[in-house]
Structures are given as C-alpha cells and as structure tokens.
Amino acid sequence: VVRELHEFFPNSAMICGPCGMTVNYWSSDLKRRDVSAMLDSVFSILEKAMLVKDDSLIQNVVWRHMGYDKKNGRAEVTVESL
C-alpha cells in the first residue's frame, strides 16, 4: 500500500503540523470490523508513506461507514492541515 501511495502522490509535500483526517469507508462484505484497528492501520500507512511526518499530528478524526459495496469496497482518506 505504501508503494502505491508513492506512485499516486509522487510529489506530495509531507504534512508536518497538526492535521485532521476524514475516512469514508465502504465495506466489501458484511463482516464486522474493528474501526479502531482500521484507523490505526491508516495512521501507520500515512506515516510510513511519508505523507504525514508523525501520526500523532492527526488530531481530528472522522470515520464514516458509507455502506456496503461488494464490487468496490474502499476507503477514501482525506488529510488536511489545521
């Protein structure tokens, strides 16, 4: 996932200050998921991809479960400086 983020955002500037994150999530199946674990994964990916200097900078978080989409389960993540 980290490598793919570098391909999608090759010249993006790293966020080095307080920021907020919104995740819109569509599940691809009906399994129950641990939202806190999924958020932790997103935090780690953003830091490892060098999109956010330190995941502790993410201060405001919104998680929206958008429903079920069997063919196109996904998470759309938006990170914005505060």
Side-chain angles (χ1 to χ4, degrees), residues 16-63:
C16 297
C19 58
M21 177 176 74
T22 300
V23 179
N24 292 328
Y25 172 73
W26 289 261
S27 56
S28 60
D29 57 37
L30 298 175
K31 292 180 185 177
R32 290 174 36 169
R33 298 280 191 309
D34 181 349
V35 173
S36 63
M38 290 190 293
L39 274 172
D40 187 51
S41 295
V42 173
F43 277 41
S44 295
I45 289 168
L46 291 172
E47 186 175 338
K48 287 178 183 173
M50 296 185 290
L51 296 172
V52 176
K53 183 175 182 178
D54 186 315
D55 62 10
S56 69
L57 294 170
I58 303 170
Q59 297 179 357
N60 296 337
V61 177
V62 176
W63 179 277

Side-chain angles (χ1 to χ4, degrees), residues 7-21:
E7 291 173 13
F8 284 120
F9 306 103
N11 299 316
S12 60
M14 181 185 298
I15 295 175
C16 297
C19 58
M21 177 176 74

